[in-house]
Amino acid sequence: RTLVESAKKTSRAIVIDEGYGRYGVTAEIASVIADQAFYYLDAPVKRMGAMHVPIPFSPPLEDVTVPTERAVFDAARAMCVRS
């Protein structure tokens, strides 16, 4: 309920997780927001998750596969640009 109310208030939503964006928690949360706040949204719900690749064992390589602070910032900024 809180997520839906927030999306209605801001008219936008980004769902971020270090897990895969497909078929997981981010997909379900985005679905709930889109379903219950559709008419309040000015943009589609954006999902950000790990790349769709096997997660590497190496910590530096693992860091490359998950969303970074910069990627989240850029996605949020792109959502706020009005055409």
Side-chain angles (χ1 to χ4, degrees):
R1 179 167 173 95
T2 302
L3 297 173
V4 173
E5 293 303 318
S6 178
K8 287 179 179 180
K9 184 176 180 180
T10 62
S11 71
R12 291 171 176 78
I14 300 176
V15 182
I16 305 159
D17 184 25
E18 287 189 349
Y20 291 123
R22 300 179 189 173
Y23 320 112
V25 175
T26 55
E28 186 62 26
I29 292 172
S31 173
V32 168
I33 293 170
D35 185 48
Q36 296 181 18
F38 180 80
Y39 293 107
Y40 296 89
L41 298 174
D42 290 339
V45 177
K46 173 79 174 162
R47 292 186 296 170
M48 296 183 74
M51 293 176 169
H52 201 62
V53 297
I55 301 297
F57 181 73
S58 165
L61 291 176
E62 180 182 355
D63 290 343
V64 174
T65 66
V66 296
T68 62
E69 291 177 19
R70 186 65 195 187
V72 172
F73 174 81
D74 291 341
R77 176 170 270 187
M79 287 185 77
C80 292
V81 174
R82 301 209 184 253
S83 52

